[in-house]
Amino acid sequence: MQPLRIGIAGLGTVARGVLGLFAASAGHLERQAGRPLKLVRVASRTPRPEADLAGAEFSTDLGTLLHDDVDVVVELIGGEDRAARLVRDAISCGQSVVTANKAIIARFGDELLAGAAKQGVGLGFEAAVAGGIPIIGSLTRGLAASRVRTVAGIINGTSNYILTAMAEQGSTFADALAAAQSLGYAEADPTFDVEGIDAAHKLSILAALAFDVGFGMDGVFTEGIAGVTAEDIGYAAELGYGIKHLGIARRSDNGIEARVHPTLVPEHGMLAQVRGVMNAVLIESDAAGASLFHGAGAGAGPTASSVVSDLIAIARGEALKYRAGGGERQMLPMSAVQSAFYLRIPARDAPGVFGKVANILGANDISIEGAVQRERAIRINGDGSRSSWVPIVILTDSVREAVMDAAIAAVQAMPEVVGNIKCMRVEHFD
Amino acid sequence: MQPLRIGIAGLGTVARGVLGLFAASAGHLERQAGRPLKLVRVASRTPRPEADLAGAEFSTDLGTLLHDDVDVVVELIGGEDRAARLVRDAISCGQSVVTANKAIIARFGDELLAGAAKQGVGLGFEAAVAGGIPIIGSLTRGLAASRVRTVAGIINGTSNYILTAMAEQGSTFADALAAAQSLGYAEADPTFDVEGIDAAHKLSILAALAFDVGFGMDGVFTEGIAGVTAEDIGYAAELGYGIKHLGIARRSDNGIEARVHPTLVPEHGMLAQVRGVMNAVLIESDAAGASLFHGAGAGAGPTASSVVSDLIAIARGEALKYRAGGGERQMLPMSAVQSAFYLRIPARDAPGVFGKVANILGANDISIEGAVQRERAIRINGDGSRSSWVPIVILTDSVREAVMDAAIAAVQAMPEVVGNIKCMRVEHFD
């Protein structure tokens, strides 16, 4: 049979993973695809003479990939503008595209999918979310019959590595981040990972596929892990919870919500077991119930595995056509989102303080589900004097965020409260 | 667009699940499929007047499904001979087939897939393994690029329910089985589940897809859970392991192995966290690493979800064509399989007994990785006398099964060994 002729843009880690997979598994890939996968062109700004291009023609000009001897362009240059332009151009030329680029799919998915549909070509992005986990295929094919209620994922390995090190080794955030950087799990500038932007891109893609809300970053609430402290991890553990950085998208009676933030999850649930740089995505759907997909979220091998699985699908003649969003994108504002809460309230050690807090919560119809009032702490004040205070830690039942915000403001205003209240969301999945 | 015209064989639990899904989610399913899924015929030996057939024509004659107004026959009658005949007939008539029947795919998969290929029709069986978990699609599409080394699955919910109840509630095997039966998790005759036959069918399908060894039950070693005791669960826990009923298929240097048996797995690994009737499949592959798929393994909703996801794929024009085995089916005999072992040796409490056991293992090049020698037990002999004995519990490193068998025979022959040695395999996954 005719080979599928492939052009690769980029020669970074993932591209070299793809080249390595071609070199190591050509026979396996041809058997799977039903025909040879033939690398005909590679383009990259930075030549890498040491890379084995399997006889493909190399150029520093991305435009060479738009040649009609290329059936599929594999976009692995990263970034946004140049990558999006290449993908648009390839689609316009009638080429199928496979990309690992979460940012361009999250931002321009509707436009790119509409273009691909118009041209009758495929656009595959299995590698854009959770590296080696086939979550795009599972969501759009395997679970296609079961209406999704919730997607909840640990979809940034760097953040999970840091939280795991803090929980298991007692590391500080700074030390855990430094360790992640020295192991190559975090970039020199870790902003994208630790501030949740990377996870928000991935969540936005999952939400678009699960709920038909269209692609885009509007209305995706994003909070990173920098505010998680060892103290919170300790209290959470006492209450029977682990702290994970989750991306959550949910269809509720009020609308579709999408949010990325540190979350308390029950310590015996599957999500709490996800350690180190591993990723996992939990999908709750009407017919299939709770399904969890766990695996490597990044790295050359796993990401290349997903890139090449998309190439195999194209070689087999499968569609790789995902619906672009139909209706208006209208995400639920955070103020309307419901969840349970963890509150840590630094308060002066005076009689009746806990009762006052409980009264304020009760007045807002917020029930207390659990509490820790552990030890007395001593604070050294600015003037050198000391005062005695206790951290009051409370777990509430599920409540609308606007209501919780109001209650927290009222508690914060209590004269006995001596510092900022720490607040994190708590989720109980099936 | 033209509707996909569907005929369903059977009106049991899964069939009613499919009817329920059609009724509850028609709009969702049509959006996913790109055209309506139209139920035109239902056939079942036992009419169920209460079932909502959505206007489909009903007959007690399965042959009515072979009518040319049916594009896809959904085989949900179960059993083997009649079901296989219906599937063969439908394929011969040029109809695609979707089935949840693991037994006929495990036994006749090669023949049925060859027939489907010849006729150019699809044969979908996502529902045959692990109910609502899209494991067939993940293995054959999402992970298509990554050569599989190991498949290890908790693929029988009944067995996992029983082992979970024994481990967490201290139930006996008999009590846990009775509870499973009263909850509807186990049949009145539980043979298929507790003896591992159901798991062996499913494992055989996964092995055929992962390793191209062809379908069939030859060479699939099968051992159920009836021999697992509370005592073993206790010792395993002391050593840091849980006991799970696993189906394991592996490509090793020596060949392909497929085996179903109780297995000690590290208590902190993901497989050990799989509780109750849930299923999970771990796939270790060269490029993607370790991927775990966790979800509902049975039940009307999850199984219907997988059945209808296959229908959606057919409606979308996707292939659903799986390769039938190419080469000769040659499975590794158990004697050549490598694994670590757990041994429980009931021995008289005499000096030097542990040393003698260790010497015999050492003489067979078997290293001891861990041991428990807990308490002295008193045995009341047949003549009313009492003797003191100790259970010696040993964890070995990895060894060929034939070597372990010889070593166990030698230990069993020691005069100090007062009862049958209990032996279970131990596996450490990534």
Side-chain angles (χ1 to χ4, degrees), chain A residues 232-315:
Chain A
D232 293 318
I233 291 175
Y235 284 121
E238 265 186 75
L239 290 159
Y241 291 80
I243 300 180
K244 292 291 178 187
H245 190 236
L246 294 190
I248 300 170
R250 181 174 280 151
R251 169 169 56 84
S252 76
D253 293 341
N254 305 320
I256 309 289
E257 60 195 56
R259 46 197 173 100
V260 170
H261 52 67
T263 313
L264 276 73
V265 293
E267 64 187 349
H268 292 299
M270 293 295 282
L271 282 173
Q273 317 301 327
V274 179
R275 301 174 61 242
V277 290
M278 297 303 274
N279 280 18
V281 181
L282 174 72
I283 296 177
E284 292 178 349
S285 63
D286 288 348
S291 316
L292 181 104
F293 303 84
H294 177 265
T303 311
S305 166
S306 286
V307 166
V308 179
S309 77
D310 275 346
L311 290 172
I312 288 171
I314 290 171

Side-chain angles (χ1 to χ4, degrees), chain B residues 60 64 76 157 160 190 227 240 268-269 273 300 303 313 392 409:
Chain B
T60 56
T64 57
L76 301 172
N160 201 53
H268 292 300
Q273 318 300 329
T303 310
I392 299 173

Side-chain angles (χ1 to χ4, degrees), chain B residues 222-241:
Chain B
T222 308
E223 184 186 316
I225 58 166
V228 178
T229 65
E231 200 182 353
D232 293 318
I233 291 173
Y235 284 120
E238 263 185 75
L239 290 159
Y241 291 80

Side-chain angles (χ1 to χ4, degrees), chain A residues 287, chain B residues 8 13-26 29 52 304 308:
Chain B
I8 294 182
T13 308
V14 176
R16 282 172 288 156
V18 171
L19 293 172
L21 197 46
F22 283 155
S25 307
L29 299 180
D52 174 8
V308 179

Side-chain angles (χ1 to χ4, degrees), chain A residues 375-399:
Chain A
E375 78 283 19
R376 189 158 304 185
I378 303 294
R379 161 179 303 238
I380 301 174
N381 301 316
D383 62 0
S385 68
R386 292 168 183 223
S387 46
S388 157
W389 59 287
V390 286
I392 298 174
V393 174
I394 285 175
L395 222 54
T396 77
D397 68 347
S398 186
V399 54

